[in-house]
Amino acid sequence: MGRLAQTDGLTEIQRDILATVRDFVDKEIIPVATELEHKDEYPTAIVEGMKQLGLFGLTIPEEYGGLGESLLTYALVVEEIARGWMSVSGIVNTHFIVAHMINAHGTQEQKDYFLPKMAAGEIRGAFSMSEPGLGSDVSAISTKAVKDTGGTSRPEAGGEFYVLNGQKMWLTNGGTSTLVAVLCKTDEGGNTPYKNMTTFLIEKTAGFGPNPTVPGLTVPGKIEKMGYKGVDTTELVLQDVRIPADRILGGVPGRGFYQMMDGVEVGRVNVAARGCGVARRAFELGISYAQQRSTFGKKIAEHQAIQFKLAEMATKVEAAHQMMVMAARKKDSGERNDLEAGMAKYLASEYCKEVVEDAFRIHGGYGFSKEYEIERLYREAPMLLIGEGTAEIQKMIVGRRLLEEYRIAE
């Protein structure tokens, strides 16, 4: 297993969970990941295996059928899964974010209804905030939800519905999910754009095209990507989609931005964990290959230039892991962790890119061949530079928080 990326202070239960996941990754994911990725095939058998392990309910409280584990446990599990194949970690990521949002912000009825099914993997979640022209400016969303009080088909919702129109972008699990948390503009929460957004919980049928159970909702198809294949990334089109008011997350409009940002903090820790997992796998591949390949009469691992690379790679793997652990523990403590999550996401994604590139260079010409696993990692790493906020956004968040912490008296 090696001494890198170890975590102090884990409970026996946490160590058992990680050992089980590590064994699952080694036996069920790594042997098939490259073949499935090259075919852009959804890992159905792997997902079923994760359901049997209870991983979809990892952080959901025990009272709802989950394991009730911490964000730290979740992050360490994601690190292990990403070490096997980053796309698989994406399948659980948005599910965890939506489950966290419902548990933290949902009404009791929403918790009772959704969380047991999510813990069992019967309902799988997707997270929808981005739009085609949005970029990083969440306040500029144009997807609109307008109250329509004329509906009477749901008496338990008081006959109150919202009509949703717009187009969302970059939904991980957009096709395979059966529950989507969608951020919309509602213009009834307050006097700033951030108080006029609402999160709607939309149940749908898995699949692509017009949705048979939600009139007006369409998932056009998979977006073709350079990497991060296997998992479906999609658009979401909403045309006069009627959603009952009792499917507003938390039951009150105008809180959507803050709910989503809470979810994004969890997501940033997740992306940091993914970066750690991919970087660790790249290091493993690099140090293994360096001990097999010979040049100038000796193994390339014996060349000082390669030893320098391995030393730098290992240091980056260790630093990113410890930063990710710190961010997860901060969130678990109930404290604000946007500073630590931003730092962890930024550091881990940048170091992941660098470690993967160094492993690619160690492989030489063979790194460019699809027969070698490092080729897949080389295409996957760039997604982490963008997902859950670019490096530039993380720097802005970190910079602003530092100025708050170190503001001088005037």
Side-chain angles (χ1 to χ4, degrees):
M1 183 178 153
R3 67 183 294 170
L4 291 183
Q6 299 299 301
T7 309
D8 293 332
L10 297 181
T11 66
E12 185 176 348
I13 292 175
Q14 288 174 313
R15 290 194 296 270
D16 288 345
I17 290 172
L18 291 175
T20 299
V21 172
R22 191 176 300 118
D23 185 63
F24 179 79
V25 168
D26 287 339
K27 292 180 179 178
E28 306 296 335
I29 297 182
I30 289 177
V32 300
T34 296
E35 179 184 357
L36 292 175
E37 196 272 348
H38 286 165
K39 294 193 292 186
D40 198 7
E41 182 176 326
Y42 187 80
T44 303
I46 292 173
V47 171
E48 285 302 312
M50 291 195 299
K51 282 173 64 176
Q52 292 174 17
L53 290 177
L55 294 186
F56 285 100
L58 185 65
T59 60
I60 293 173
E62 293 180 6
E63 63 189 284
Y64 300 110
L67 298 179
E69 277 295 326
S70 63
L71 178 61
L72 175 62
T73 308
Y74 154 71
L76 296 175
V77 165
V78 165
E79 181 181 26
E80 291 294 341
I81 293 173
R83 174 181 155 266
W85 183 13
M86 192 180 76
S87 293
V88 178
S89 67
I91 291 171
V92 295
N93 177 38
T94 56
H95 178 84
F96 281 141
I97 291 176
V98 176
H100 168 78
M101 290 170 61
I102 292 173
N103 187 50
H105 305 287
T107 64
Q108 192 59 52
E109 183 273 336
Q110 290 166 355
K111 294 177 187 180
D112 291 341
Y113 178 77
F114 287 113
L115 291 181
K117 296 181 176 66
M118 296 183 80
E122 296 171 11
I123 288 180
R124 295 212 292 275
F127 175 83
S128 180
M129 183 168 62
S130 296
E131 296 183 2
L134 191 60
S136 299
D137 184 8
V138 181
S139 67
I141 66 168
S142 59
T143 299
K144 186 97 173 174
V146 178
K147 186 183 292 186
D148 175 13
T149 57
T152 57
S153 60
R154 283 282 296 269
E156 68 275 22
E160 192 171 280
F161 279 75
Y162 283 78
V163 179
L164 280 55
N165 282 282
Q167 183 178 4
K168 309 298 281 188
M169 192 70 173
W170 305 119
L171 279 75
T172 300
N173 299 319
T176 50
S177 63
T178 52
L179 172 66
V180 188
V182 182
L183 185 65
C184 300
K185 187 176 290 185
T186 47
D187 293 339
E188 57 178 317
N191 55 4
T192 71
Y194 300 104
K195 293 181 179 179
N196 282 305
M197 300 185 208
T198 300
T199 303
F200 289 86
L201 301 172
I202 303 178
E203 287 187 89
K204 68 179 186 67
T205 304
F208 299 96
N211 200 270
T213 57
V214 185
L217 186 148
T218 302
V219 178
K222 293 200 299 186
I223 297 170
E224 296 296 325
K225 300 163 293 188
M226 174 178 74
Y228 197 40
K229 294 177 180 288
V231 59
D232 48 297
T233 305
T234 75
E235 299 175 72
L236 181 73
V237 179
L238 305 158
Q239 186 172 5
D240 294 331
V241 175
R242 297 182 76 243
I243 302 297
D246 64 355
R247 286 299 178 256
I248 290 175
L249 179 61
V252 179
R255 298 177 180 174
F257 175 78
Y258 306 99
Q259 295 164 346
M260 286 274 173
M261 289 304 102
D262 184 30
V264 165
E265 281 186 11
V266 172
R268 284 178 179 146
V269 173
N270 171 280
V271 172
R274 285 197 255 181
C276 292
V278 173
R280 182 145 58 95
R281 183 59 180 166
F283 172 79
E284 291 171 355
L285 294 172
I287 199 168
S288 174
Y289 184 82
Q291 296 172 79
Q292 299 172 49
R293 174 75 168 165
S294 296
T295 62
F296 303 103
K298 60 182 178 181
K299 301 296 184 184
I300 64 172
E302 298 176 31
H303 293 290
Q304 189 179 62
I306 299 299
Q307 290 178 10
F308 282 0
K309 277 193 186 298
L310 293 172
E312 291 171 0
M313 292 161 67
T315 301
K316 290 172 181 177
V317 167
E318 185 67 21
H321 174 83
Q322 299 303 336
M323 179 70 80
M324 177 270 291
V325 168
M326 180 185 69
R329 282 183 162 147
K330 194 82 168 180
K331 184 79 170 177
D332 281 333
S333 73
E335 298 179 66
R336 181 177 178 181
N337 88 324
D338 52 345
L339 174 66
E340 291 79 10
M343 284 180 168
K345 192 276 176 186
Y346 167 61
L347 190 78
S349 59
E350 294 291 335
Y351 276 179
C352 175
K353 176 199 69 171
E354 294 169 10
V355 171
V356 167
E357 183 171 345
D358 280 342
F360 177 83
R361 289 171 183 265
I362 287 171
H363 280 74
Y366 288 105
F368 210 63
S369 168
K370 287 193 172 184
E371 293 181 21
Y372 283 76
E373 190 178 340
I374 192 63
E375 178 270 344
R376 169 170 62 82
L377 271 60
Y378 193 78
R379 288 184 290 102
E380 288 178 338
M383 196 284 291
L384 298 172
L385 301 171
I386 301 166
E388 311 297 0
T390 62
E392 291 72 23
I393 289 296
Q394 306 312 316
K395 291 178 189 178
M396 285 174 56
I397 293 168
V398 170
R400 288 171 181 169
R401 288 287 287 115
L402 290 173
L403 286 171
E404 289 179 22
E405 293 285 340
Y406 290 88
R407 189 171 305 279
I408 60 173
E410 296 181 358

